Amino acid sequence: YAPHVKAAARHVGGEGHAAEDGEMIASLCHQTALFLANVACSFQGALELYEKSLEIRIKVLGQDRRDVASSYNDMANLYYKQGKFDLALEQYAKSVAIGVVLGEEHAHVAASYNNMANIYEELGKYDEAVALQKKCLAIRLRTLGEEHPDVATSY
């Protein structure tokens, strides 16, 4: 599938292509990247498609959009799986920055804080990990309520 998705992505933004086409192809790139990363374990192929999806989303939608934040977050997850913690933290930070612009009270922002906290914990930077986990917990409590399973895993 990846070669076909990449071929379609090359045509985004060309003459006669509507913004909706770009959004659809960006989503296709993103979903294929998720498959490659999580099922096929083809990290390089996934990264290429995440990057293409991100490029299209920024071009078609603009920088401060949830879909752009999602691209950064999923690229960060990929780097995290590979143990590339510096790159993962950089992408999570970009995702969080967009989330803050859009309204920090969102599950996506809480998840990014949680993921960043996990990295800092693995690096032995416990103060940073605890600070981020507290942010995650506060958002989840306010948005999901105390009985939600995601809140339970945040304590």
Side-chain angles (χ1 to χ4, degrees), residues 69-90:
S70 178
S71 289
Y72 284 127
N73 188 73
D74 289 341
M75 286 173 64
N77 289 339
L78 182 66
Y79 286 132
Y80 180 57
K81 286 180 185 179
Q82 297 176 73
K84 297 178 180 179
F85 297 138
D86 289 341
L87 291 171
L89 287 170
E90 182 181 318

Side-chain angles (χ1 to χ4, degrees), residues 86 89 110 112-137:
D86 289 341
L89 287 170
S112 291
Y113 282 143
N114 181 69
N115 294 336
M116 292 170 78
N118 290 339
I119 290 174
Y120 282 121
E121 182 180 1
E122 286 195 40
L123 295 173
K125 297 181 177 183
Y126 301 112
D127 291 340
E128 291 94 331
V130 169
L132 288 166
Q133 200 59 49
K134 285 181 178 180
K135 286 183 175 186
C136 171
L137 177 60

Side-chain angles (χ1 to χ4, degrees), residues 50-83:
Y50 280 138
E51 288 171 344
K52 191 62 180 175
S53 173
L54 178 62
E55 175 189 327
I56 295 168
R57 285 176 169 172
I58 290 172
K59 182 177 183 176
V60 173
L61 303 172
Q63 178 67 33
D64 293 330
R65 297 290 298 262
R66 286 206 199 286
D67 286 344
V68 173
S70 178
S71 289
Y72 284 127
N73 188 73
D74 289 341
M75 286 173 64
N77 289 339
L78 182 66
Y79 286 132
Y80 180 57
K81 286 180 185 179
Q82 297 176 73

Side-chain angles (χ1 to χ4, degrees), residues 103-107 109-110 113 134-148 151 155:
E104 191 173 30
E105 298 297 309
H106 192 271
V109 175
Y113 282 143
K134 285 181 178 180
K135 286 183 175 186
C136 171
L137 177 60
I139 293 170
R140 286 178 172 170
L141 281 170
R142 284 190 299 270
T143 59
L144 301 174
E146 199 163 309
E147 301 298 319
H148 195 278
V151 173
Y155 280 102

Side-chain angles (χ1 to χ4, degrees), residues 29-55:
C29 287
H30 193 89
Q31 294 303 317
T32 304
L34 284 169
F35 171 80
L36 290 173
N38 297 317
V39 178
C41 295
S42 174
F43 296 136
Q44 186 57 41
L47 182 59
E48 289 173 16
L49 287 173
Y50 280 138
E51 288 171 344
K52 191 62 180 175
S53 173
L54 178 62
E55 175 189 327

